[in-house]
Amino acid sequence: MTDAVQPGPLPAAVDGTTPVDAVTQARNAQIALALAALVEPARAASGIWDRTVVVNGVTRSSTFYSLASTLNAIAVFGAVIAFLLWLRRCRTNADILAPGAATYSTGWVVGAWFTPLLMWWRPRRIVLDIHRASHPEAPDHTGIRLINYWWTARVGYSVTVTILVALTGRMVRVSPAITIVLEVVYIASAVLLIVVINRVTGAQARRFAPSSAPA
């Protein structure tokens, strides 16, 4: 990964915590995302086994599929919570770095992800605002492209899975080839988000570092 974060003594933020907290939350989010990216392919693989291997009318891997699905749900839930905690921390920092630059209020940092229709584009705007507030002097075009790639992969995966479930009733019935492609997109989305988290957190930590404060 690029732009490694170097924690250090940083000034207090408006809510009494410090910007360095984002470093810890970034690491938690990255670990949670990596775990989710590992567990999901296992669930998908067990789904393929479920679809193809039946003995005496009984699906041999049904128990394993249920277990994998449960573990996947737990991993995804943990990743969502860890990511939103990081995003909220960075949104608070962004208000310090570039007051008034955010397009939406703080409440949308979480709410945008769960609001019908808005969930398909507003979260990307929020992440872009935080990213740009962390680079006020010169735009980080590479970071912007990474955010766009991540969002494209995320939305593409989510929309495709939603359509397939609506058509088949269960992802287990989807062909193995399609499942493999979807899993590659899922993992790519997770990796891109991990890189985005690293870039944003690193930029904020450098901005809040004592050496960056005006003399």
Side-chain angles (χ1 to χ4, degrees), residues 32-107:
L33 286 165
L35 287 174
L38 291 174
V39 174
E40 165 58 21
R43 182 209 60 78
S46 67
I48 294 174
W49 183 264
D50 252 342
R51 191 182 68 84
T52 57
V53 180
V54 177
V55 177
N56 296 326
V58 178
T59 303
R60 287 179 54 185
S61 62
S62 58
T63 300
F64 179 63
Y65 180 77
S66 297
L67 176 61
S69 297
T70 300
L71 291 175
N72 182 63
I74 294 172
V76 170
F77 180 77
V80 168
I81 296 300
F83 170 73
L84 290 177
L85 288 173
W86 168 82
L87 192 64
R88 189 177 185 280
R89 172 73 265 167
C90 287
R91 173 63 169 76
T92 299
N93 289 345
D95 283 340
I96 302 171
L97 294 170
T103 305
Y104 303 108
S105 64
T106 306

